[in-house]
Amino acid sequence: MAGWGPGVPGPEDVVSSGPWDGVWRVGGGVGGPGNPLWAVRLDPDAGHPAPRPPVVEAGADGSAPGSQGIGTSPVRPDGALKVRGEFAFSSDLWADDMLWGATLRSPHPSATIRSVDVTAALAVPGVYAVLTSADVPGDRYYGLEVADQPVLAVDEVCYRGEPVAVVAADHPETARRAAARIVVDYAVREPVTDPEVALAAGRLVRHVPIRKGDPAAAAEVVVVGEYRVGMQDQAFLGPESGLAVPAEDGGVELYVATQWLHADQRQVAAALGLPAELVRLSLAGVGGAFGAREDLSMQVHACLLALRTGRPVKMVYGREESFVGHVHRHPAVLRYEHGATRDGELVYVRARILLDGGAYTSTTPAVVANAASLGVGPYRVPNVTVDAYGVHTNNPPCGAMRGFGAVQACFGYESQMDRLAEAVGLDPVELRVRNALAEGGTMPTGQVVRGPAPVARLLELVRDRPAPPPVGAELWQLPGGMANTTAPEQVVRGVGYAVGIKNVCFSEGFDDYATARVRLELIGGEPTALVHTAAAEVGQGLVTVQAQIARTELGVERVVVATADTAVGSAGSSSASRQTYMTGGAVRAACRAVRAALITRLAGGRAGATDDGGGRVDEGGPELAGGALRDAAGRVLGTLVDLLAAGPVEETVRWRHRPTRSLDPVTGQGDAHVQYAFAAHRATVDVDPELGLVRVVEIATAQDVGRAINPQAVVGQIQGGTAQGLGLALMEELQVVDGVIRNPSFTDYLIPTVLDVPPMAVDVLELADPDAPYGLRGVGEPPTISATPAIVAAIRAATGVPLARVPVRPEHLTGTG
Amino acid sequence: MDFLQPESWAEALAVRAAYPEALPVAGGTDVMVELNFARRRPPALLDLGRVAELADWGGEDGLLRLGAGVPYRRIVTELAGRVPGLAMAARTVGSPQIRNRGTVGGNLGSASPAGDALPPLLATGALVELASVRGVRRVPVAGFCTGPKRSVLAPDELIAAVLLPAERGPEQFAKIGTRNAMVIAVCSFALALRPADRTVGTGIGSAAPTPVRAVAAEELLAAELPWASRAELPDPLVRRFGELVAAAASPIDDVRGTAAYRRHALGVLAGRAVRRAWTEHRREGGAG
Ligand SMILES: Cc1cc2nc3c(=O)[nH]c(=O)nc-3n(C[C@H](O)[C@H](O)[C@H](O)COP(=O)(O)OP(=O)(O)OC[C@H]3O[C@@H](n4cnc5c(N)ncnc54)[C@H](O)[C@@H]3O)c2cc1C
């Protein structure tokens, strides 16, 4: 990428023919650095965005652009369908002659398999195939980072729920009954379920040390604490599901709900022993993801059964099965020591973070790196010693979940910051502000924070919000809600604060890119853009965002976003808060390549005067606006109708963010992250201390999003992420005892209801990141991270109970644990 | 799976006798969950939704007769004055959707120790009317459940109604859950004061294999409440009552809570319930 600035796609990234526009105009037109920041003040009672400042995105001729470009909130195509219950999810897929797949799973967390006898299952009328690991034609192991997870158990099982065999039958009930008739002879082993024991036994997945400054630094004030985070589940509502259809060329088409079509394709093809082009994936309706669809579930199984039977095969997990069918958030034990001056200035942080990765590797290595590199939070700390470990146990596998290592660390360091504030006699916000990281500051990894880092400002924004109303008198306003437990005089109130940091995009030198194909053509005489990517719409609104970018860049109103599939290059995962940044960046680049091609076409096929010869279009060169190519003064150089009369223009661009580096394995030093994102929360809670019941009264939150491409979606992410953080604070935990999930249902895995999620006051800052498309910052994860510690801090403030574990249970508050 | 839909009570009883293996379904809010989770695969369902006799309530010999098929929503909107404890419990059940469908008959049929209708029925000394082609019998709620998800209901019987005694007085119900709505009780407590005959009824949910009464606690209050003077409640009496309620439970540790918490919370709920009920009693008597 030499010769190209950060974030600027190099010429080698232009996959298709056609000249490359290549211009990276920071903040293109709007939202650039130096743009005044603004805040969306949400009326917590109204619950929807106040009118935002008008986006003046003047075309060169001074005309306002279309109403549906970036910075607006067009109606989502899936919105009304979902509200009406008419949206087709992956579990609704249907083919007339299809069979149903079912999975036999291990009842033991750890066992050797002596034998598997499928005879009785095959004898069940209506059964078409029963497959075990012996029937896997290609690689028998898969994995996102390390291929260590068996497609179907090979000689042993390492967690309860591990797939052992799969069945295809003409009815789902028949398939399940047949699966139950498979006889597996297990020699049960003692499971390893304690991560400390696993670490001592050498079952290490990854150790990430971070060393900065003086490891022996001493301080006047020292606080030490140990914290625990339980196993949270993503709790998506749409279970793992999909439909595999055998193809005439010997390949297979898979329609599936996933986060990353190409990662699935790579792993499925390897397991099937087929070249990737014979395994074609299309995104089916995704019923939530949050990280849980990054690893494979039924993908290979359905394809195996389809290829074996020659019939389409549908698989849909049941709810209980789903809880063992995907990875969870790593439970963690975090030990922290913070040293500070008497004035509350941090001198050092020492931390040991232990993450239970469960039976297989999944994304544990990256989660460990996040926990380590973000382990002291968004603070200036001169001396840092962090050791984060991920281990293998026989617990359910853990992997990606919104916040990805940053969530666990934040509960540790923010709990510590409150204790430190108390120890030095400072207000918790004041202590944080004194130590807040800022633009140009240095992370414990040595990485200098480029672009705005308004940590102090975010804290001040939530602190300065008016306080919510006093304790309510209605039942639903009180702890315990409608259950009639608590009267207003039995309530104490507390307020707590937290701020968090998250990396956006893939880190540590990963070759992270997204591909977009944009085609501009006349349909019915009207210029129409077709945007095609493989990026997974998982409910976050990405389809809308892609169309908005195309409208802004191409100056057309009609945009069609094609279904995501593997007919176009990889978009990378809808994770790491990266997809608007990455696929948004790719769509923008592809649109600009289209513009460059039009400029060439305008110049009669020769490179135009504004083309600098390197495929780049200069700032101030022709723009697409209002259906025409216009010069800087807004004069029409050529209408799209005329320019496209000769045929469509199509460009495909593979787009990368600026490169990152790996972390030094000994010191943990290195520019490992692309972008940092920050959010702060203030939580106000009412607690009934005698019963240990909590009601969150209000949450004020502030986040810098760089540029709100779709303000409504931004606010939705902030509200949803905060609710998920609330869940971890108060109720969401998979209770795993001896490797067995005790509460695999929504009866006992509780997620917040409308009576648990309070009104939220949201401040959105738009401080452009000079490296990012439009200056945007990933928004999906930060709100989840600091919501949890803010709520726990508020409960501590209300009750004085030194809570050190989430979720907080009534037992912890009443000493009856 | 067969779906049997009798149009009348007589027909329902006949079908029940003929197909005892058919699973009765009222609101379906427990049955459908069991079917979804494949915990049950009955050969047939016996839908009681068309039996008008089950969907009514009315007076009978001074008793309130509540048809087994009356949904919680109607108990809340139509009967809050007449059976306040049961109405308070009904208000805590599930969500609006569940309250629209779910019934007291179904709650009894499931015989879960966590069934929220059962503690107030225990506290008020309600009877369950069971019917079959053989005849009709009435059993006290206290004798209806025999264990977790087990009851005295015979294979050919249906639950016709519950009968609530005529006596009136202050009633309370509260339940603990780990979220503020849509939650199965970690534990619950119901109280009924009967000033006219100076008796006290209690019911404890989710803290024993079946819903249970706290008999010693009832006796304590009946004997020591200052019924006549309507004087303020002595703190030691409230405390002792809470202790006896907690002692009457035999809770376990499970995913919803620890035994220690359940005992503790029952003591607190009992104390709060008696204070609220006594405040109401004093207010009605013109005191306090
Ligand atoms: C989301 C959700 C939330 C819930 N929340 C609560 C809660 O907060 N509190 C609570 O107590 N329960 C709760 N429940 C459980 C359920 O709603 C209640 O137990 C309800 O009372 C069941 O009534 P139903 O009419 O739906 O019963 P059904 O599901 O129709 O039947 C339940 C059982 O009773 C039997 N039965 C029904 N009617 C008769 C009859 N007339 N004669 C003989 N047998 C009969 C059935 O065969 C079955 O075994 C919840 C359920 C769900 C799905």
Side-chain angles (χ1 to χ4, degrees), chain A residues 515-584:
Chain A
T515 315
R517 178 176 299 155
V518 173
R519 178 185 172 93
L520 196 56
E521 64 189 316
L522 294 178
I523 295 181
E526 202 183 322
T528 304
L530 177 69
V531 179
H532 188 184
T533 75
E537 165 69 77
V538 296
Q540 80 277 46
L542 188 69
V543 166
T544 312
V545 161
Q546 292 181 61
Q548 288 178 257
I549 291 174
R551 287 194 197 99
T552 291
E553 294 296 327
L554 299 175
V556 298
E557 277 306 303
R558 276 178 58 175
V559 179
V560 176
V561 179
T563 298
D565 60 29
T566 52
V568 62
S570 175
S573 181
S574 289
S575 66
S577 304
R578 68 182 278 289
Q579 212 52 295
T580 298
Y581 191 126
M582 293 304 298
T583 289

Side-chain angles (χ1 to χ4, degrees), chain A residues 672-698:
Chain A
H673 296 312
V674 180
Q675 185 188 54
Y676 295 104
F678 309 93
H681 285 86
R682 179 191 72 191
T684 305
V685 304
D686 283 347
V687 184
D688 177 339
E690 222 183 341
L691 288 174
L693 300 176
V694 176
R695 178 169 182 274
V696 182
V697 176
E698 189 227 38

Side-chain angles (χ1 to χ4, degrees), chain A residues 173 176-177 320 479-487 490 688 690-691 693-695 731 735 742 745 747-748 750-751 753 755-756 809-811 814 816-817, chain B residues 33 37-39 41 88 91-92 172-184 186 253-258 260-261 264-266 268-269 272 276:
Chain A
E173 187 82 21
R176 280 194 290 268
R177 284 188 188 158
E320 195 166 337
M482 299 312 289
N484 193 33
T485 53
T486 306
Q490 286 148 349
D688 177 339
E690 222 183 341
L691 288 174
L693 300 176
V694 176
R695 178 169 182 274
M731 60 191 84
Q735 300 184 35
R742 300 274 314 280
S745 74
T747 305
D748 284 313
L750 299 183
I751 54 178
T753 70
L755 283 190
D756 300 282
R809 298 183 62 92
E811 281 85 350
T814 53
T816 52
Chain B
V33 173
F37 273 86
R39 289 198 197 112
R41 280 289 180 266
M88 283 174 172
R91 228 174 262 128
T92 76
Q172 283 293 323
F173 175 85
K175 90 178 184 195
I176 302 277
T178 36
R179 71 181 168 195
N180 291 327
M182 278 281 282
V183 68
I184 296 189
V186 172
D253 290 338
D254 65 16
V255 293
R256 295 173 195 151
T258 64
Y261 175 73
H264 163 81
L266 280 172
V268 174
L269 289 184
R272 289 181 182 181
R276 290 180 194 172

Side-chain angles (χ1 to χ4, degrees), chain B residues 27-239:
Chain B
T29 59
D30 277 325
V31 167
M32 294 314 293
V33 173
E34 301 242 292
L35 295 186
N36 267 342
F37 273 86
R39 289 198 197 112
R40 269 180 120 134
R41 280 289 180 266
L45 289 179
L46 168 53
D47 176 26
L48 300 172
R50 297 191 175 182
V51 179
E53 292 92 327
L54 290 178
D56 254 341
W57 59 267
E60 183 181 304
D61 309 333
L63 300 173
L64 175 75
R65 181 188 173 85
L66 177 67
V70 178
Y72 293 112
R73 180 182 51 79
R74 286 184 57 200
I75 296 174
V76 173
T77 54
E78 297 168 24
L79 289 168
R82 176 60 185 81
V83 285
L86 184 61
M88 283 174 172
R91 228 174 262 128
T92 76
V93 172
S95 60
Q97 296 90 329
I98 298 297
R99 291 194 290 276
N100 281 337
R101 297 285 310 167
T103 65
V104 171
N107 213 232
L108 283 163
S110 292
S112 158
D116 286 328
L118 306 185
L121 293 179
L122 269 180
T124 51
L127 302 172
V128 186
E129 186 175 292
L130 306 174
S132 68
V133 288
R134 295 176 287 120
V136 173
R137 60 177 177 141
R138 290 178 174 180
V139 298
V141 167
F144 179 79
C145 297
T146 54
K149 314 231 158 180
R150 289 201 308 273
S151 72
V152 299
L153 188 73
D156 66 343
E157 277 180 326
L158 289 171
I159 301 164
V162 293
L163 300 134
L164 292 118
E167 296 81 26
R168 311 278 285 268
E171 296 178 10
Q172 283 293 323
F173 175 85
K175 90 178 184 195
I176 302 277
T178 36
R179 71 181 168 195
N180 291 327
M182 278 281 282
V183 68
I184 296 189
V186 172
C187 61
S188 65
F189 182 71
L191 176 71
L193 299 188
R194 295 292 175 253
D197 55 6
R198 297 189 175 182
T199 58
V200 173
T202 59
I204 295 172
S206 261
T210 64
V212 290
R213 289 169 55 197
V215 177
E218 292 174 3
E219 286 166 357
L220 172 81
L221 277 195
E224 312 237 332
L225 278 176
W227 294 106
S229 70
R230 299 186 191 235
E232 277 203 53
L233 275 183
D235 285 343
L237 178 62
V238 174
R239 209 174 313 118

Side-chain angles (χ1 to χ4, degrees), chain A residues 305 326 339:
Chain A
L305 291 168
H326 59 254

